[in-house]
């Protein structure tokens, strides 16, 4: 079965992007069913790649291989998964890391996180979902997995005509356990946690707090499981205030605090947009303010409002930094690109009347690689700034 692209519409895919949109296609031959493997050609009939199709999705084909001689079968997936592990191991990841980061690992719409010998999976497209069992079996048979769990309760699946679902892809196992990250312990809850249970993408950025939080009063906004708050406590903060709108998040954070026997982390359950302006008015000041908000937009249309949201919290955050203290600020929205992120934080600093010294630019952890030419693979960025 073949998909032939329109003249002038093949460039992006030929240059390495794995997505073929429906409106780029000229003809489809052979009536492929959802999830079938098809060969993609340009209008001159040059082979571009092979991938899975879903004519119900705007992203109609996602390319899996560019090699015409490579069939898509169990050994293809085994080879790719081994390459994923090899890349992470080369970079020093051992126990807990993202094993597969979708498009960035040339396995579009597949996400796998590893916590020791337990794996959590998401198959976010119909074409990848078809291989779910095969992939779980590779993890069990070739990777020594003791358990595999699927967290497919993700709304994007509906764009692919899939249902949201969760459950074991192996024998049942204990889905709540403790991991140790750089000497800090966290409960991971694969069933009830956000996304796949724990945010591995901030791993290296948590370490970036190391020196600036020593003896500091720290405010961690959008704390969730308290990951930044706990690292701050570990690295010698005098006191940490950890803020989240969700009572469940504050409860998780407090459990993690108790697990590590910290006594100087205080939880506040409130909406940052309500409480930060009040705290600014009260002249509250901190040595370090951390802002790690959720993606305020998941699409291009929402950018304007998202920018307003980011600017608002950065403005309040900056105002609460003692002169000479630090702001650690993040955005995990792909649509907020690096330039827009810089501009937004800069405009907040300007409104606050503060001079900024850039200490460090931060990125998603190396187990979430960014592939040049596949811009969607870059979503998390951050800055550590000294606020003069
Ligand atoms: N920093 C965390 C991840 C943050 S996820 C970590 O490293 O693990 C974003 C968090 O922001 C979620 O826990 C969500 O409950 C919280 N949140 C969303 N909107 C909020 C708001 N308006 N005020 C405070 N917290 C909010």
């Amino acid at each position: 079965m073949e998909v032939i692209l329109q003249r002038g519409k093949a460039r992006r895919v030929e240059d390495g992007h794995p997505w073929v949109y429906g409106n780029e296609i000229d003809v489809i031959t052979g009536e492929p069913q959802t999830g079938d493997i098809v060969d993609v050609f340009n209008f001159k009939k040059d082979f571009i790649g092979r991938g899975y199709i879903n004519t119900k999705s705007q992203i109609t084909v996602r390319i899996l291989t560019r090699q015409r001689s490579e069939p898509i079968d169990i050994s293809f997936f085994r080879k790719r998964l081994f390459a994923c592990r090899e890349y992470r191991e080369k970079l020093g990841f051992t126990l807990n890391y993202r094993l597969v980061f979708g498009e960035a690992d040339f396995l579009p719409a597949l996400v796998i996180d590893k916590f020791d010998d337990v794996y959590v999976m998401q198959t976010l497209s119909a074409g990848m979902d078809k291989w779910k069992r095969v992939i779980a079996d590779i993890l069990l048979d070739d990777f020594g997995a003791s358990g595999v769990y699927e967290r497919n309760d993700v709304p994007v699946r509906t764009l692919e005509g899939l249902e949201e679902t969760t459950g074991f892809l192996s024998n049942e196992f204990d889905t709540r356990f403790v991991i140790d990250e750089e000497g800090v312990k966290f409960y991971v809850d694969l069933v009830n946690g956000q996304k796949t249970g724990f945010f591995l993408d901030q791993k290296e950025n948590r370490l970036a707090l190391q020196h600036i939080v020593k003896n500091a009063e720290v405010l961690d906004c959008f704390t969730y499981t308290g990951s930044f708050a706990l690292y701050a406590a570990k690295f010698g903060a005098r006191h940490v205030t950890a803020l989240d709108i969700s009572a469940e998040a504050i409860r998780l954070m407090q459990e993690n605090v108790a697990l590590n026997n910290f006594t100087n982390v205080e939880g506040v359950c409130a909406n940052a947009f309500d409480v930060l302006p009040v705290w600014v008015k009260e002249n509250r000041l901190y040595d370090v303010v951390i802002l790690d908000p959720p993606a305020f937009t998941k699409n291009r249309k929402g950018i304007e409002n998202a920018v307003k949201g980011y600017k608002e919290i950065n403005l309040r955050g900056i105002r609460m930094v003692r002169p000479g203290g630090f702001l650690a600020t993040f955005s995990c929205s792909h649509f907020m690109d690096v330039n827009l992120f810089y501009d937004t934080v800069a405009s907040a600093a300007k409104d606050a009347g503060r001079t900024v010294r850039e200490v460090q630019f931060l990125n998603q952890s190396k187990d979430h690689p960014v592939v040049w030419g596949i811009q969607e693979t870059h979503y998390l960025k951050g800055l550590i700034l000294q606020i003069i």
Side-chain angles (χ1 to χ4, degrees), residues 159-351:
L159 302 176
E160 288 276 328
L162 296 167
E163 288 179 356
E164 293 187 32
T165 172
T166 60
F168 291 98
L169 296 173
S170 64
N171 292 332
E172 290 193 15
F173 60 94
D174 192 356
T175 51
R176 187 168 189 266
F177 47 85
V178 173
I179 61 165
D180 185 304
E181 214 196 56
E182 312 288 335
V184 186
K185 295 193 186 70
F186 292 95
Y187 285 107
V188 174
D189 187 335
L190 301 186
V191 177
N192 302 302
Q194 293 182 29
K195 309 252 175 83
T196 59
F198 187 69
F199 287 106
L200 294 162
D201 52 4
Q202 289 279 25
K203 182 186 164 94
E204 289 156 1
N205 302 336
R206 293 190 270 269
L207 286 171
L209 294 180
Q210 181 154 11
H211 302 290
I212 58 174
V213 295
K214 202 160 175 34
N215 295 320
E217 268 186 275
V218 176
L219 173 63
D220 176 22
C221 298
F222 311 95
T223 193
Y224 182 36
T225 56
S227 78
F228 282 103
L230 269 87
Y231 267 67
K234 174 181 158 80
F235 290 138
R238 189 148 28 97
H239 185 266
V240 184
T241 305
L243 172 75
D244 203 284
I245 198 169
S246 141
E248 174 66 10
I250 293 296
R251 196 182 59 72
L252 286 173
M253 183 276 293
Q254 274 159 346
E255 280 179 356
N256 285 329
V257 168
L259 185 65
N260 288 277
N261 300 314
F262 293 134
T263 52
N264 56 347
V265 183
E266 173 200 359
V268 177
C269 184
N271 185 337
F273 288 95
D274 296 337
V275 88
L276 296 188
V278 175
W279 290 354
V280 169
K281 271 217 180 83
E282 292 172 359
N283 291 319
R284 286 208 200 185
L285 291 172
Y286 297 89
D287 301 299
V288 177
V289 172
I290 301 158
L291 304 170
D292 183 24
F296 288 144
T297 181
K298 294 233 161 91
N299 56 56
R300 215 167 282 284
K301 279 191 237 117
I303 290 184
E304 217 172 295
N305 274 333
V307 168
K308 269 194 205 140
Y310 283 113
K311 178 164 176 196
E312 162 77 11
I313 56 153
N314 276 281
L315 174 62
R316 311 296 176 186
I318 289 168
R319 288 208 157 122
M320 279 193 283
V321 177
R322 283 201 178 94
F326 297 89
L327 176 77
T329 183
F330 298 92
S331 165
C332 61
S333 173
H334 153 66
F335 295 99
M336 184 85 173
D337 66 26
V338 174
N339 291 331
L340 189 55
F341 179 60
Y342 266 94
D343 289 349
T344 306
V345 179
S347 127
K350 191 158 175 262
D351 285 8

Side-chain angles (χ1 to χ4, degrees), residues 330-382:
F330 298 92
S331 165
C332 61
S333 173
H334 153 66
F335 295 99
M336 184 85 173
D337 66 26
V338 174
N339 291 331
L340 189 55
F341 179 60
Y342 266 94
D343 289 349
T344 306
V345 179
S347 127
K350 191 158 175 262
D351 285 8
R354 304 286 292 270
T355 297
V356 167
R357 191 138 72 159
E358 182 171 331
V359 179
Q360 197 177 0
F361 177 77
L362 300 168
N363 245 317
Q364 57 211 50
S365 272
K366 299 185 193 78
D367 50 345
H368 298 60
V370 175
V371 179
W372 290 3
I374 314 179
Q375 56 173 29
E376 292 81 0
T377 57
H378 194 194
Y379 68 106
L380 178 64
K381 56 253 144 219

Side-chain angles (χ1 to χ4, degrees), residues 65-177:
T65 180
R66 307 248 166 197
Q67 281 176 319
R68 201 163 188 176
S69 58
E70 186 169 50
I72 305 303
D73 53 15
I74 182 165
S75 43
F76 166 83
F77 282 98
R78 192 182 288 122
K79 214 163 46 189
R80 282 282 156 93
L81 289 176
F82 274 115
C84 290
R85 183 165 71 180
E86 191 181 283
Y87 166 79
R88 272 86 185 160
E89 287 181 346
K90 265 212 168 103
L91 294 169
F93 291 93
T94 50
L95 273 183
N96 311 313
Y97 57 83
R98 177 152 293 191
L99 173 69
V100 180
F101 181 45
E103 277 69 0
D105 281 301
F106 316 107
L107 288 168
L110 176 66
V111 172
I112 304 178
D113 282 350
K114 162 179 157 30
F115 298 101
D116 195 359
D117 58 358
V118 160
Y119 293 78
V120 201
M121 244 172 91
Q122 296 177 322
T123 43
L124 303 173
S125 66
M128 193 51 89
D129 200 59
K130 260 184 98 166
W131 294 93
K132 181 164 81 182
R133 189 63 260 163
V134 165
I135 294 163
D137 284 340
I138 295 170
L139 296 174
L140 291 163
D141 299 340
D142 301 305
F143 282 66
S146 70
V148 182
Y149 192 82
E150 89 176 280
R151 272 302 296 271
N152 272 327
D153 48 338
V154 187
V156 290
R157 278 174 55 103
T158 54
L159 302 176
E160 288 276 328
L162 296 167
E163 288 179 356
E164 293 187 32
T165 172
T166 60
F168 291 98
L169 296 173
S170 64
N171 292 332
E172 290 193 15
F173 60 94
D174 192 356
T175 51
R176 187 168 189 266
F177 47 85

Side-chain angles (χ1 to χ4, degrees), residues 3 5-6 9-25 38 40-41 48-54 57-66 101-111 124-128 156 159-160 298-300 334-335 371-379:
V3 170
L5 303 189
Q6 294 167 32
K9 289 287 171 72
R11 199 46 189 272
R12 197 188 68 264
V13 186
E14 284 176 326
D15 284 349
H17 201 287
W19 296 351
V20 177
Y21 290 101
N23 61 11
E24 295 166 341
I25 295 172
V38 294
V40 179
F41 298 87
I48 302 177
R50 178 172 295 138
Y52 56 75
I53 191 166
N54 182 357
S57 169
Q58 266 186 36
I59 305 172
T60 305
V61 182
R62 296 181 203 232
I63 304 284
L64 290 163
T65 180
R66 307 248 166 197
F101 181 45
E103 277 69 0
D105 281 301
F106 316 107
L107 288 168
L110 176 66
V111 172
L124 303 173
S125 66
M128 193 51 89
V156 290
L159 302 176
E160 288 276 328
K298 294 233 161 91
N299 56 56
R300 215 167 282 284
H334 153 66
F335 295 99
V371 179
W372 290 3
I374 314 179
Q375 56 173 29
E376 292 81 0
T377 57
H378 194 194
Y379 68 106

